[in-house]
Amino acid sequence: SQSLTQQKRDTISELGATVESINSMAQSVAQLNKAIKTNTIAGLPVNDLEDQRDLLANQLSEASGATLRAGDFNQVNVVLNGTGLVQGESAASLSLDTTGAGAALRWSSDNSIASVTSGKAGGELDAINGTIPAYIAKLDTVAATLRDQVNQVHSAIGGSIAVADQNQAAAGNLQFDIGLDNGAFATVTIAGADWSGAGGAAALQAALQGA
């Protein structure tokens, strides 16, 4: 459980690095879109700029799970579940929220939840919020079951002996049926004695232990 908890912390750190990378690539794609638009309008070559932009846009898509859509002036828009991560020359950014039990991604502009369900970031979110906690819960269930079983085995023995039978000086031997580890019951006999006086309890305990 401690190992899984540490793995969750590590994955949250990895997700933080992924978010930083997403924001950086989004800015770069927007800047390249701007340069491509400028050159296109001016009739200048854009092939090299498009190659750089396409490589970054694909990496951004893999990291965020976003889709790519063609825009005006040979630009590319990057759309994250209906919201523009890159829209022409403008780029949005994401932030990592770990104030709850798990983790969430939010849009920095209005702090609303960013729906990220795929890509590298989506996989890390699923591990943090789903897979790892599920394994920890299963371990907790195993531990609780083991605890309850052990406590049941070591629970106190209940019952009482009638006052008339507590003085065994003339009543004969004590006999008990005892079953260990769910095995067959065996009869244990302890010679009768008077345990009512001083030291009687200790004498009875010694007799029981030696039976």
Side-chain angles (χ1 to χ4, degrees):
S1 179
Q2 290 176 347
S3 177
L4 286 169
T5 299
Q6 183 60 49
Q7 184 178 347
K8 180 179 177 180
R9 295 193 192 100
D10 294 342
T11 306
I12 289 175
S13 296
E14 292 169 7
L15 178 58
T18 300
V19 169
E20 290 181 4
S21 177
I22 288 172
N23 291 340
S24 176
M25 288 189 289
Q27 287 290 339
S28 296
V29 170
Q31 291 169 2
L32 286 167
N33 271 344
K34 181 178 181 180
I36 290 169
K37 177 181 178 180
T38 299
N39 282 18
T40 299
I41 293 174
L44 299 174
V46 295
N47 290 343
D48 288 344
L49 292 173
E50 288 181 338
D51 288 343
Q52 296 177 45
R53 190 271 319 280
D54 291 345
L55 176 61
L56 270 177
N58 285 323
Q59 292 174 344
L60 179 56
S61 175
E62 292 173 359
S64 64
T67 56
L68 307 180
R69 298 177 184 175
D72 297 331
F73 302 102
N74 296 320
Q75 295 179 329
V76 166
N77 298 323
V78 183
V79 182
L80 185 57
N81 284 324
T83 303
L85 181 56
V86 177
Q87 196 72 31
E89 304 167 23
S90 300
S93 63
L94 301 173
S95 62
L96 174 60
D97 180 3
T98 58
T99 56
L105 297 186
R106 296 183 179 274
W107 293 105
S108 300
S109 57
D110 60 5
N111 205 40
S112 62
I113 291 292
S115 179
V116 179
T117 57
S118 59
K120 183 179 180 182
E124 289 167 342
L125 278 171
D126 184 61
I128 294 165
N129 297 327
T131 306
I132 296 176
Y135 278 117
I136 292 175
K138 290 179 181 179
L139 287 176
D140 288 345
T141 299
V142 171
T145 300
L146 178 60
R147 175 203 63 197
D148 292 343
Q149 290 176 345
V150 170
N151 287 344
Q152 185 177 8
V153 170
H154 292 280
S155 61
I157 298 174
S160 61
I161 300 176
V163 174
D165 296 329
Q166 291 178 9
N167 185 345
Q168 292 293 309
N173 299 330
L174 289 175
Q175 289 188 331
F176 302 91
D177 288 333
I178 298 178
L180 299 177
D181 297 328
N182 296 320
F185 283 98
T187 300
V188 176
T189 301
I190 299 176
D194 184 357
W195 294 297
S196 60
L204 176 58
Q205 180 177 350
L208 290 171
Q209 290 174 337

